[in-house]
Amino acid sequence: QWVYNILEKKAETDRIIHENSDPCNGFVLVPDFKWNQKQLDDLYLIALIHRRDIKSLRDLTGEHLPLLRNILQEGKEAIVKRFGVPGSQLRIYLHYQPSYYHLHVHFTALGYDAPGSSVERAHLLVDVIDNLALDSAYYQKRALTFALRADELLLKKFQEAGRV
């Protein structure tokens, strides 16, 4: 609900850094709650897409390339304009598995060791774009490895199914 409240301008409108209002290829860029917006060393923003039919990396196809390219380009431009941090100093990625199922993209300072920014969970947006440009159904076909904490419900489901 938090995501929808932001997208519908019911909450946190003062926190919006950038918005592309296109219903198909647009998004809202907001600071993550983990970031105090003062120190650039731990810069952390989230791009929330306006579309509600894309839940995670698995749903992405070549059709979504304009959306992903908008997020990459406009997100970097907004961050350099507002915070003076160039795109070359950003890590821009998606999680799989995500913490919530509404497609969102993380923008963090390159030097910041953000939770979930490791290779087991993070997929760089530039790589996602390249993979979809090569094969529109890349993320429907590919096996995706991901790490789970011992206390996560999803791990328990895999164990119950005999998959771990």
Side-chain angles (χ1 to χ4, degrees):
Q1 192 58 48
W2 167 76
V3 170
Y4 299 133
N5 286 343
I6 292 172
L7 294 174
E8 295 167 7
K9 308 287 192 309
K10 293 179 181 175
E12 303 188 43
T13 55
D14 58 321
R15 291 173 42 88
I16 295 174
I17 302 300
H18 175 77
E19 180 172 19
N20 176 323
S21 58
D22 183 276
C24 188
N25 296 317
F27 66 99
V28 172
L29 185 66
V30 294
D32 189 274
F33 286 116
K34 296 174 196 73
W35 184 42
N36 66 13
Q37 297 185 57
K38 294 178 181 145
Q39 298 172 188
L40 295 180
D41 291 344
D42 59 355
L43 176 139
Y44 199 144
L45 296 104
I46 302 283
L48 304 166
I49 68 168
H50 283 297
R51 292 177 64 160
R52 296 183 183 208
D53 61 329
I54 308 171
K55 303 298 182 197
S56 77
L57 184 63
R58 280 279 183 219
D59 296 327
L60 292 172
T61 67
E63 167 204 343
H64 304 115
L65 285 169
L67 167 66
L68 299 173
R69 289 177 176 137
N70 278 351
I71 292 170
L72 180 63
Q73 185 64 37
E74 292 178 26
K76 289 193 301 187
E77 289 171 0
I79 290 170
V80 76
K81 183 178 178 183
R82 179 74 172 265
F83 303 106
V85 177
S88 63
Q89 295 302 306
L90 297 172
R91 180 179 293 117
I92 306 165
Y93 57 95
L94 297 87
H95 282 148
Y96 191 80
Q97 296 278 333
S99 52
Y100 52 92
Y101 287 88
H102 178 98
L103 190 75
H104 57 286
V105 177
H106 302 258
F107 288 76
T108 62
L110 194 55
Y112 177 48
D113 187 20
S117 64
S118 62
V119 72
E120 297 89 12
R121 187 137 182 244
H123 298 262
L124 296 176
L125 182 56
V126 293
D127 291 342
V128 171
I129 290 169
D130 285 348
N131 290 336
L132 291 172
L134 289 171
D135 181 351
S136 180
Y138 184 87
Y139 290 100
Q140 282 76 50
K141 297 176 184 176
R142 183 166 187 270
L144 295 171
T145 303
F146 54 91
L148 293 171
R149 292 186 313 272
D151 63 344
E152 286 190 65
L153 180 60
L154 186 56
L155 177 60
K156 291 182 189 343
K157 297 277 186 193
F158 276 118
Q159 289 168 332
E160 289 167 5
R163 303 289 303 265
V164 176

